[in-house]
Amino acid sequence: MYCKRHENAICIACLPTKHTYCADSIIPLAEAAKNAKTSTALADLEHTINETLVNIQICRNDCEAATEKIEKQEKIIKKRIFDTRETINKHLDDLERKLLNELTTTHTSCKSKYGTIKNQLNEMEKEIKRLQEQTFQLKRFASDIQVFLSTHQMNKEIHDEVKSITKALASVKNENIEIEIHQDITSLLKNVDYFARVKVDKSTIKCPFEDAKISLAQIQVPTRQQLLTARSVHNTNLKLRTKFTIDKKGNKMEITGCVILANGNLLFADNTGKDVLMEYNVDGLFIRDIPVSAKPSDLTVITTEQIAVSYNDLNYIDIIDLKKMTVLKTMKFLCHCRGISYNDGKIYVLVYGVGIVVLNMEGTILKTIKCDLHVYNITTIEDRVYYTVPFSSSVKCCTTTGNNIWKFKGKLLTAPGGIATDSAQNVFVVGIRSNNLMILKDDGTVSKTLLSKADGLNKPARLYYAKETNILLVCNKYDGTSFLYNVMFD
């Protein structure tokens, strides 16, 4: 037997002792287990296991990223300390040089004044000694009349010399050179007892794990039709989560690819910037640049640790390990590699003039699906392939075997660019020239505008939909503005 109240299988012995009041909840175990393999209980269990494994990997990646961040922060702080010290040293050197120049000028000025007086005294001494010699000669050889007249004249000359030097000495001050250290320098030596403080800003780690109670009440897994009913075009709405601007890596920017990783971080490809992919978090904060072999064109997620990147006119794609930061495999093509998508162990690449080339993970070409010539964006889900044709302003859907299913062309959508699907195969697509975001029904018969230029769209070129979290990423092509939306089904 089975008790629905306690969600336990029970036997006859348990019934009277532990389930006395559960009479209405007791059913045969066989009835409870009916359709178990197709129930949500098994599906939820599988989902919880897979989700837990993903969360473990996310936490591990976060720890590794945190460690790398701390290492970078230490290097940045060390450089800042060194730069600050260098700036202080340079400033003190400049102040010392100015002070020494001022001291030299002051010393020279003072010395010059005393030198002038000294020269005058020397000249006066010569003149007095000359008069002294004349006096001596007068006493020996001159008459009284000559001595009388010369004495009067020589007294006048001596008086004039003394008056001149006295006047010169009166204009000169007795100078002492001293120094007064700036009070802030004195205060620095006396009061500043540390260069800077090292602080640790702590915050609670976001834990992705949730207590998942797997109910054994047997409910059938929803069919695709039920999912389509729950997620119709009409009841799909967006709620803005984050808006931010990607930093330019060069003189201009052209966003040609974007994805949302399993850990929630965002990757962007700028085809006119540097040879990197730019990683941001969900709050729009820059995390790091991931080096790639050339300017990236588009990218797609393969696993939690692997992505594939295309390089347009270089005619090849790379499979990259994000954890080890290494290229696992390079696959070459006959012509330009544009849009790229991954689905069910296969990589779909838009190759100019060839079509949609389908490869396995070893790089073996499995098939080529014919499509329009000028196609840049592609997405895949289950057995369907979707792509946009900007020159004809149309959206097309075909099977993975190449059979055309439907084509959408509307007046409100001009030059469609990025394309993505939700779990119910409803299609999200942006109009580059019409500056809008539309959602199309899975058969292309119904459409609805979700965003327009009034919402900030300006040449929106790329988008990405995370089916596990129902989060939509939309990017403007040239100004770097990006939007994260929660997709809701009201």
Side-chain angles (χ1 to χ4, degrees), residues 244-249 253 255 259-261 263-268 277-290 473 480 482 484:
F244 62 95
T245 302
I246 305 167
D247 293 332
K248 287 184 180 180
K249 298 295 181 181
M253 173 182 289
I255 299 300
V259 297
I260 301 176
L261 300 175
N263 61 5
N265 288 347
L266 319 171
L267 286 185
F268 299 93
L277 296 173
M278 299 170 288
E279 184 173 359
Y280 286 72
N281 67 13
V282 292
D283 297 318
L285 298 177
F286 175 76
I287 298 176
R288 61 172 175 167
D289 285 332
I290 299 175
L473 172 61
S482 300
L484 269 183

Side-chain angles (χ1 to χ4, degrees), residues 356-372:
I356 303 170
V357 179
V358 186
L359 312 95
N360 61 20
M361 293 301 294
E362 299 302 318
T364 303
I365 297 178
L366 305 177
K367 69 180 89 170
T368 299
I369 302 172
K370 294 297 180 181
C371 67
D372 294 66

Side-chain angles (χ1 to χ4, degrees), residues 244-260 266-274 276-280 286 289 295-299 310 312 338-339 376-377 416-419 430 432 458-464 473-483:
F244 62 95
T245 302
I246 305 167
D247 293 332
K248 287 184 180 180
K249 298 295 181 181
N251 296 327
K252 57 182 181 178
M253 173 182 289
E254 184 177 347
I255 299 300
T256 53
C258 62
V259 297
I260 301 176
L266 319 171
L267 286 185
F268 299 93
D270 176 7
N271 194 236
T272 60
K274 297 182 179 180
V276 296
L277 296 173
M278 299 170 288
E279 184 173 359
Y280 286 72
F286 175 76
D289 285 332
K295 289 180 174 58
S297 178
D298 198 7
L299 66 161
S310 64
N312 200 358
R338 293 172 172 173
Y376 298 87
N377 298 275
I419 187 169
V430 289
I432 300 175
N458 182 19
K459 299 292 189 293
R462 300 296 182 265
L463 54 77
Y464 186 88
L473 172 61
V474 183
C475 309
N476 285 346
K477 189 172 186 178
Y478 299 113
D479 63 14
T481 306
S482 300
F483 310 82

Side-chain angles (χ1 to χ4, degrees), residues 169-350:
L169 288 172
S171 64
V172 177
K173 304 296 181 182
N174 190 24
E175 297 179 336
N176 295 314
I177 301 177
E178 298 177 350
I179 186 170
E180 181 182 345
I181 303 297
H182 196 292
Q183 62 180 8
D184 288 342
I185 299 293
T186 306
S187 175
L188 172 68
L189 298 173
K190 183 179 179 180
N191 300 324
V192 178
D193 57 356
Y194 64 89
F195 193 91
R197 297 284 193 196
V198 177
K199 298 190 298 182
V200 179
D201 185 15
K202 299 180 180 180
S203 60
T204 304
I205 295 176
K206 294 180 180 180
C207 181
F209 297 97
E210 297 179 357
D211 292 333
K213 183 178 183 299
I214 302 174
S215 173
L216 294 181
Q218 305 303 325
I219 305 173
Q220 295 290 330
V221 176
T223 64
R224 183 171 181 274
Q225 185 57 45
Q226 291 171 326
L227 196 60
L228 286 172
T229 302
R231 298 186 178 186
S232 70
V233 168
H234 298 295
N235 69 5
T236 301
N237 294 289
L238 303 179
K239 181 179 180 181
L240 181 62
R241 178 171 176 169
T242 311
K243 177 183 177 182
F244 62 95
T245 302
I246 305 167
D247 293 332
K248 287 184 180 180
K249 298 295 181 181
N251 296 327
K252 57 182 181 178
M253 173 182 289
E254 184 177 347
I255 299 300
T256 53
C258 62
V259 297
I260 301 176
L261 300 175
N263 61 5
N265 288 347
L266 319 171
L267 286 185
F268 299 93
D270 176 7
N271 194 236
T272 60
K274 297 182 179 180
D275 299 348
V276 296
L277 296 173
M278 299 170 288
E279 184 173 359
Y280 286 72
N281 67 13
V282 292
D283 297 318
L285 298 177
F286 175 76
I287 298 176
R288 61 172 175 167
D289 285 332
I290 299 175
V292 291
S293 58
K295 289 180 174 58
S297 178
D298 198 7
L299 66 161
T300 186
V301 175
I302 296 175
T303 67
T304 56
E305 295 182 357
Q306 294 180 11
I307 60 171
V309 182
S310 64
Y311 298 99
N312 200 358
D313 54 0
L314 297 180
N315 306 348
Y316 73 91
I317 69 170
D318 281 337
I319 297 178
I320 299 173
D321 188 311
L322 292 176
K323 183 178 180 181
K324 298 178 181 178
M325 301 284 282
T326 56
V327 176
L328 301 177
K329 194 170 189 64
T330 298
M331 305 175 187
K332 297 183 179 181
F333 299 85
L334 296 176
C335 203
H336 299 179
C337 302
R338 293 172 172 173
I340 187 171
S341 180
Y342 174 82
N343 179 38
D344 193 26
K346 302 178 185 68
I347 300 175
Y348 296 74
V349 184
L350 283 169

Side-chain angles (χ1 to χ4, degrees), residues 3 8-22 26:
C3 177
N8 280 328
I10 61 175
C11 64
I12 297 299
C14 300
L15 188 58
T17 57
K18 299 180 180 180
H19 300 273
T20 308
Y21 304 100
C22 301
I26 304 298

